[in-house]
Structure formats: C-alpha cells, structure tokens
Amino acid sequence: MRKIKWGIISTASIAMEQVIPAMLNGEFSEVVAIASRGIAKAEKAAEEFKIPKYFGSYEDLLNDDEIEAVYIPLPNHLHVEWAIKAMNAGKHVLIEKPMAMNSQQAIELLKEAEKHPDLKIMEAFMYKFHPQWIKAKELIDTGEIGTLKTIQSSFSFFDDDAESITNSKEFGGGSLMDIGCYSISVSRLLFGEEPKSVMASIEYHPEYEVDILATGILEFENGSSSFFCATQLDYTQQAQIFGTKGSIRFELPFNPPDDKPSKIWLTKDEEVTEIEFEICNQYTLQADAFSLAILEDKATPVHLNDAISNVTVIEKLHESQTSGRRVNIQSE
C-alpha cells in the first residue's frame, strides 16, 4: 500500500523532536514538505530530516498539490484557523492537542469539517494509540479489575520562562491545556462516558495569568477520577486505575519510551502481573492510523466530538475554581 504525503505546518519542538522522526518511520506516512514563517528555519529543518520541500509560509505549503495531509503543531490559538485553511485547500488534517482554545471554537471547527465530508480531521492524542492504553482499556472492559471505581493521575514539569508558549494566556497556555488534558482524556476513555460534574482547585500565575497548578476531580456515574497537573512543579507523570477486584499501574503513562519496552502492572487477588509491550513509537502509530483512514476512506480512529468534550471539561474546571463550587456538565 502506498504512503500518504504529509506536510508539516511549523517547526515547533513537538514536530521536530517527536512527530517528524516518528512519521519518517511510518508504514503509511511520508513527510514531503515543511513550512515555517521564515524560509531559513524551514530549510534547516528540511535539511535535518531530508525533507524534499520547504516553504517560508504556511500558505505556500497548503498550495502544493502533492501534499495530501498536514500536521498542525502550531500554538493552540492558531489550531482552528489553520485547520480550516487546510481543509479549504483540500488537505486532510491532524491537529496537535488541544484542538481548540475553547468548546465554542471546537464546535465551529466540527461544523466546518462537516462541509468537507471527503476530508479526514483528527485531534492528535498520541497516547490512545499506544498498546499499553489499548490493553488497559481491554482489561477494564473485560472485568479483569472488577468494576472501575477511581483513577488517580498526574503530569507536571517546571517552566517559568516568560517567553514560553506554555506561559502565554493569549496562545492558550496553562497546565490544563498543555498536560492536564491527558488526565481528562484518559478518564473519559476508561469510563467510556462523560463526567457528570467536576470540581477544581487552581492556582494562577500572578503575571502570566495562566494556571500553573490545577487539581481536579471528575465525577462519573459510578466512579471518579482525581488528578493534578502543573507547569511549575518537579517533573512527574503517573497513572493508576482502581477497580473493585484489582488495579493497574503504569510505568510511564503519557510519554512511554520508544527505545525500550513499556510496562504496566496488573494487581489482582494480591498477585502482581507485569505486562510488557514491544518497543514502539506512539507517534508513528498515530500517524499510520490516520494515514490508513485516508487510504481506506474509513472513519478516523477518534471523532472530533471527543476533542469538543475534552476542552469542555477544561472550561468547567476553570468555572469551578471561579465559582468555588462543583459544576455540572450538561449532556449534549
């Protein structure tokens, strides 16, 4: 089967460090072009990865007829704008998470996507494609840990750089948008439903006005998820899933290594079973899954509604902090 020809819009670090190297190893994806706001940056990136074409503007890349799909790792406030431009140029679109700045923007993008039924569009939550999460979901759904009751997770790092996009309110920064979105997403995935209500305790940076520490509780029909995320805290990432008859613990839930096996531990009847997964790259798996959806003209692995729901929870957590109370999430 042939490979989908990809263009990369931006030389953002996530693209340079993770996604482009991963796509270059894809079974169904190849990177044929990259664009930056300046031709020199684009040329340097193209040279580094031996990408055939480079452009000094995003528009020029979109105007290239050879490119079938684009990956958008731009700052959050530019995601929707460039996704719409890409679709209007006839390109399939993979957008870095979070897809939009808010639920209203996300809904607008969905409506725009519906005008292009021949094009595929998806939010890039790479963890969903890693075998460790697929296995964890399977263990829960088959009752291996009994009834899922609660999830505990965290993700944090330290970044107090005033120039960092993470610390820019205008660009959609903050810990919830950047990394808390993972805990929210895995909770919704594992429970298989939307939370009924949320509660939050959030600390905002006095100067940057972005959330730098957020603790959240998501309340589901028959259980809960509690998590914290932070952008000015010592580095950590962890996830543990508890059921009535067992539990699952991850070694590295969100950024597992791509150069050695990943591990999770299933505890049941006081017996711990280590489950090891073959070496893989979740970004490669994501690109190939999306490319295959294009090649086979099938639905994308994840619908845009999922992205709308995730950013809605983020909004409700901020609302909870502002109001000082539990906030219900209205079902659509």
Side-chain angles (χ1 to χ4, degrees), residues 128-185:
K128 289 175 183 276
F129 300 89
H130 198 287
Q132 65 176 2
W133 283 103
I134 295 168
K135 182 65 176 178
K137 174 75 170 154
E138 179 194 304
L139 290 170
I140 292 164
D141 291 349
T142 54
E144 278 297 307
I145 63 167
T147 303
L148 173 61
K149 293 302 293 181
T150 196
I151 301 165
Q152 290 183 330
S153 60
S154 62
F155 203 166
S156 66
F157 60 86
F158 192 92
D159 179 4
D160 61 355
D161 180 3
E163 301 299 311
S164 170
I165 288 171
T166 305
N167 290 321
S168 169
K169 187 179 181 182
E170 180 194 349
F171 287 5
S175 65
L176 279 166
M177 290 287 272
D178 196 47
I179 47 178
C181 56
Y182 286 103
S183 290
I184 295 165
S185 180

Side-chain angles (χ1 to χ4, degrees), residues 36-68:
S36 188
R37 287 173 298 176
I39 193 80
K41 229 177 178 182
E43 183 179 11
K44 188 182 175 189
E47 200 175 287
E48 181 181 341
F49 295 110
K50 297 181 172 58
I51 299 169
K53 299 178 182 180
Y54 55 89
F55 300 97
S57 79
Y58 307 147
E59 288 91 347
D60 288 347
L61 184 146
L62 292 179
N63 289 333
D64 187 312
D65 291 336
E66 185 192 10
I67 297 161
E68 299 169 274

Side-chain angles (χ1 to χ4, degrees), residues 9-10 12-14 37 58 71-84 94-106 108-109 123-125 157 164-182 210-211 231 307 310-311 314 318:
I9 295 183
S10 164
S13 58
I14 180 75
R37 287 173 298 176
Y58 307 147
Y71 165 64
I72 302 176
L74 292 164
N76 296 336
H77 71 303
L78 297 173
H79 287 179
V80 170
E81 175 191 344
W82 284 99
I84 291 171
L94 180 65
I95 318 170
E96 194 47 59
K97 58 82 201 155
M99 184 178 81
M101 294 280 279
N102 50 55
S103 57
Q104 186 182 344
Q105 257 196 10
E108 283 171 19
L109 183 53
E123 181 181 43
F125 254 122
F157 60 86
S164 170
I165 288 171
T166 305
N167 290 321
S168 169
K169 187 179 181 182
E170 180 194 349
F171 287 5
S175 65
L176 279 166
M177 290 287 272
D178 196 47
I179 47 178
C181 56
Y182 286 103
V210 296
D211 55 289
T231 51
N310 222 58
V311 77
I314 292 174
H318 283 295

Side-chain angles (χ1 to χ4, degrees), residues 225-251:
S225 171
S226 56
F227 73 94
F228 75 79
C229 57
T231 51
Q232 292 197 10
L233 210 61
D234 189 36
Y235 176 82
T236 185
Q237 57 169 294
Q238 54 190 7
Q240 200 158 358
I241 301 156
F242 300 90
T244 52
K245 294 179 180 176
S247 65
I248 301 165
R249 181 169 63 87
F250 286 75
E251 184 176 37

